[in-house]
Amino acid sequence: MPDKKTVFHLLIILLLLTACAPTREIERLGIIHTLGIDVTDDGQQIETTMVIFQFDEQAATLTKNVIGQGKTVRGARNDASNQSAYHLASGQMQLQLFGKEAAEQGILPYLNMLVRDATVSDTMFLTVTNQTAKEILTTGRELTEINIGQFLYGVIEQEKNEHKIPRSDLQMFSRTYFEPGQDPWLPVMDIEEELPAIVSMGIFQDDRYVGELSLKEAFYLNLFINKIAPAPLELSLPREPFQDYMPEKNNDSEESLDIKIQLKGNTKTKLVDKEELRYQTNVKVQFRLDEFSEVIVVEDEKVAELFEKEIAKKMEEEYGSLLRKLQDMQSDPFGFGKYYRLQKKNGEMTSDEWRELYPDISVDFNVDAELIHYGTIQ
């Protein structure tokens, strides 16, 4: 039979174990869906613009924007919370948007807070804007009839699912940043035709935004990094090789043939000469002809092979131009540094070491293009 002292201690432990966590009425909560980050004009503080869900039945809309400033993201969030009637919680955050100036200074300090927050999903999308995050979120809210945060999230998700851009979530950015030999990327959003849209792909050197790629170049980056399902691609080919297969003779001065194809494929890369820093990238794609700027009859293997040859040649040229552009930016989103690092002793290499070598690499891009369906196309 336990004595009274033991029973007393057991009762205290039982009371502690059954204590309730602090609760808040849902009407008093503002659930953060989207977080925009800018630096203030004087560069001394951070300004956050948050899209929150509010569950107050007296509110006119389900969502609203709240703004705060502080020395840190958490401080700016607390400032916004103090100015509103809601306690801000980050449990449903799905998108973080960085203003251009903040991104150019480096976004790692802002990501550190997210990584340490157990309530934040590592699949949350990250994006950059050519304006300020505040402008995109406030202007976008006026232009769209739905939650601007959900709208932006849906735009990014659709482009990713259609294989037009590579993944751009917190997990992917963090993994790429912390792996020497590869630099991150994020989509760039702007107001286009009175709606927020992805207009380019932002390229980073470590965690700093240093330039951007066109959406076609973003597609090539995605094809290099991932195996992709059929996705649309537009190309301009030389017109002259196809003239004999054009039933409607065109005597104008056009020198190019614009085509739209559906393309799927993947790439394989290897370092073939470590001393000369020479790589070989084999790109294997299958494509279907969708649309031409002129009528072309594709009814035998000879014409099909001509398309395969010209498309492969064009893609090799564009990959070469893209690599030179990235070397000028001193950014390696392709990840050629990873292949070099794997051939070093113990696989060790610093980012600074690769920065010195990267401008001198050469890559042989070999595209194997296969036409999988053809007929008379206009």
Side-chain angles (χ1 to χ4, degrees):
M1 185 73 179
D3 57 26
K4 291 182 179 180
K5 185 176 182 181
T6 301
V7 172
F8 176 75
H9 286 160
L10 289 174
L11 287 173
I12 293 296
I13 293 172
L14 182 61
L15 287 172
L16 290 174
L17 290 175
T18 57
C20 296
T23 61
R24 297 181 185 270
E25 296 180 6
I26 192 169
E27 291 83 1
R28 304 292 296 172
L29 288 178
I31 309 299
I32 303 173
H33 177 279
T34 301
L35 174 64
I37 294 180
D38 296 301
V39 291
T40 54
D41 292 338
D42 60 9
Q44 299 301 308
Q45 288 192 311
I46 297 167
E47 183 173 66
T48 60
T49 304
M50 287 161 281
V51 180
I52 66 169
F53 288 108
Q54 54 186 1
F55 299 97
D56 186 347
E57 62 182 12
Q58 297 181 357
T61 61
L62 181 63
T63 65
K64 68 176 295 185
N65 291 1
V66 293
I67 299 170
Q69 293 185 0
K71 293 291 186 180
T72 64
V73 175
R74 191 174 297 279
R77 194 173 83 174
N78 290 340
D79 179 56
S81 184
N82 292 336
Q83 297 181 44
S84 70
Y86 303 96
H87 173 76
L88 303 182
S90 58
Q92 293 297 317
M93 196 184 303
Q94 294 185 309
L95 176 66
Q96 183 154 349
L97 178 66
F98 299 96
K100 185 176 182 179
E101 187 176 351
E104 288 174 338
Q105 294 180 8
I107 67 173
L108 189 62
Y110 313 123
L111 298 184
N112 281 337
M113 183 205 74
L114 297 177
V115 172
R116 292 196 301 269
D117 189 340
T119 66
V120 173
S121 169
D122 61 1
T123 60
M124 177 184 64
F125 286 154
L126 307 177
T127 186
V128 180
T129 171
N130 280 326
Q131 306 180 44
T132 64
K134 181 179 180 180
E135 288 174 314
I136 287 288
L137 294 176
T138 54
T139 304
R141 180 179 174 84
E142 297 169 358
L143 294 174
T144 59
E145 296 181 356
I146 63 173
N147 177 341
I148 181 59
Q150 289 179 310
F151 182 88
L152 298 178
Y153 180 91
V155 169
I156 298 173
E157 185 174 44
Q158 178 176 326
E159 295 291 290
K160 176 183 71 71
N161 290 341
E162 293 180 355
H163 306 281
K164 295 178 182 178
I165 62 173
R167 277 178 56 192
S168 55
D169 52 47
L170 175 61
Q171 181 187 67
M172 178 60 71
F173 190 97
S174 300
R175 188 178 72 189
T176 307
Y177 171 82
F178 287 108
E179 183 171 17
Q182 188 172 22
D183 287 298
W185 56 86
L186 291 178
V188 178
M189 307 203 78
D190 212 328
I191 302 297
E192 190 173 74
E193 298 181 358
E194 298 188 350
L195 280 177
I198 296 176
V199 296
S200 60
M201 181 61 63
I203 298 301
F204 285 71
Q205 185 186 100
D206 296 325
D207 70 325
R208 295 182 299 107
Y209 174 50
V210 294
E212 59 185 319
L213 305 180
S214 69
L215 291 180
K216 177 189 283 190
E217 291 169 330
F219 175 85
Y220 282 133
L221 174 62
N222 194 30
L223 175 61
F224 187 97
I225 296 170
N226 301 303
K227 180 179 180 179
I228 66 170
L233 176 66
E234 295 183 359
L235 296 170
S236 291
L237 305 179
R239 184 175 183 275
E240 192 276 332
F242 301 96
Q243 285 183 339
D244 292 340
Y245 309 101
M246 297 179 178
E248 298 177 6
K249 301 302 180 182
N250 190 341
N251 296 321
D252 60 23
S253 59
E254 291 293 332
E255 296 182 356
S256 63
L257 172 68
D258 297 322
I259 69 170
K260 180 180 179 182
I261 62 177
Q262 290 287 330
L263 178 147
K264 65 178 181 179
N266 64 286
T267 67
K268 291 184 178 180
T269 296
K270 61 181 178 180
L271 177 61
V272 295
D273 191 322
K274 181 180 176 182
E275 300 303 320
E276 296 294 327
L277 294 173
R278 185 163 60 86
Y279 292 78
Q280 179 177 303
T281 294
N282 296 322
V283 185
K284 185 173 180 60
V285 298
Q286 293 181 318
F287 66 93
R288 176 170 58 86
L289 297 169
D290 271 2
E291 187 178 353
F292 299 156
S293 57
E294 299 182 48
V295 176
I296 295 184
V297 178
V298 188
E299 57 185 10
D300 58 38
E301 291 187 3
K302 183 178 180 181
V303 189
E305 290 172 358
L306 180 59
F307 268 105
E308 292 171 347
K309 174 185 174 182
E310 292 297 332
I311 287 175
K313 181 180 177 182
K314 183 67 174 181
M315 291 182 66
E316 289 170 357
E317 292 172 354
E318 294 192 335
Y319 261 120
S321 297
L322 176 55
L323 174 61
R324 291 189 292 273
K325 182 176 181 177
L326 291 168
Q327 286 176 307
D328 289 341
M329 293 182 191
Q330 268 288 305
S331 177
D332 182 16
F334 282 133
F336 288 112
K338 294 190 301 182
Y339 299 96
Y340 180 82
R341 179 170 57 85
L342 291 174
Q343 293 197 18
K344 287 181 62 67
K345 184 178 180 180
N346 298 325
E348 296 180 355
M349 181 185 72
T350 65
S351 293
D352 289 340
E353 180 182 353
W354 182 238
R355 296 276 177 240
E356 294 182 7
L357 298 174
Y358 179 55
D360 297 323
I361 74 169
S362 62
V363 182
D364 297 322
F365 290 101
N366 302 312
V367 178
D368 178 10
E370 178 188 1
L371 177 59
I372 57 177
H373 175 73
Y374 56 84
T376 302
I377 308 291
Q378 181 172 1

